[in-house]
Amino acid sequence: MVSPSHPNGTEIGRLDGKVVVVTGASKGIGKATAFAFAAAGAKVVLAARTRETLEQVAVALKKNGAQALAVPTDVTSVDAVKQLIQQTLDVYQHVDILINNAGIGHFGPVVDFEPDDWDAVLNSNLKAVYLCAKYALPSMLEQGSGQIINVLSVAAKVTFQASSAYCAAKAGALALTKVLASEVRQQNIRVTAVLPGSVHTPFWDGVPEHPDFEQMLTPEHVADTIVSVCQQPPGMVTEEIVVMPPLGIL
Ligand SMILES: NC(=O)c1ccc[n+]([C@@H]2O[C@H](COP(=O)([O-])OP(=O)(O)OC[C@H]3O[C@@H](n4cnc5c(N)ncnc54)[C@H](OP(=O)(O)O)[C@@H]3O)[C@@H](O)[C@H]2O)c1
């Protein structure tokens, strides 16, 4: 059977040879996204802070025949992000796709919320998106193409009690995404915000009051959405996608 193809002859759905950097790739949505990109033929660079879990993902991907590189990285650190991109360039020469997915949640009413927790949430969910984009962009600009997908949350648009830092960070990251898209669209770099509802991942470990896990999205739902955006043909851009559990906000 002949595979469907674009007029330029490339097989639809394949991302062979594309170099994809996925932050937060050791668990949850990021890990599922790394597997989904590898299944589509991409070379995957994995970033997260915890070396052991990150390397376990790299080993599993390689066992499946994929090319994978684990680069332990704290995405809130300028030096660490520079090092992540440099190692990617040293090994694979360019960056085609950046998935800004790493993020954390700390929750509690403003009156009780600690300043250190505020900084941690803002740095991981907002500053890191800017840092990774800033240092990945030169390679994309040089090759005249690229794609950046920022994994945000419905919390970018809907506010929840006890989630001030998280909602502020995600709303800020949505604004950042729109500014970035407008800055680089002329250079053939496509920028997309993905806003999931609740997803059953380790994100919820330690959050006592959480929605029903049974009703949540799976990490694979979000991963498949992210990869499908990267499989879209040239000549279009998906700027924003909201992915919800069938029951809506839980
Ligand atoms: N789960 C949900 O319901 C949900 C819904 C909407 C949006 N989201 C968003 O989706 C993204 C992924 O969430 P998830 O549910 O997959 O979370 P998760 O299972 O807790 O995984 C988070 C990942 O991010 C990494 N990470 C956290 N801080 C980091 C840092 N400073 N530097 C590098 N890596 C870091 C973690 O690894 P290390 O700890 O080893 O660094 C881990 O790999 C987040 O941005 C989250 O806000 C989640």
Side-chain angles (χ1 to χ4, degrees), residues 27-30 32-33 101 151-154 166 194-205 210-223 226 243-245 248 250:
K27 291 188 269 184
I29 295 168
T33 301
N101 163 77
V151 181
L152 308 180
S153 164
V154 286
Y166 191 72
V194 174
L195 282 62
S198 301
V199 190
H200 189 189
T201 72
F203 178 92
W204 294 101
D205 293 354
H210 57 73
D212 181 357
F213 289 138
E214 294 288 311
Q215 304 298 341
M216 291 186 181
L217 294 165
T218 66
E220 289 73 22
H221 286 134
V222 184
I226 292 168
V243 193
M244 293 300 287
L250 300 171

Side-chain angles (χ1 to χ4, degrees), residues 7-21:
N8 67 10
T10 56
E11 202 181 318
I12 290 173
R14 298 300 302 168
L15 296 170
D16 296 305
K18 296 280 184 196
V19 178
V20 186
V21 176

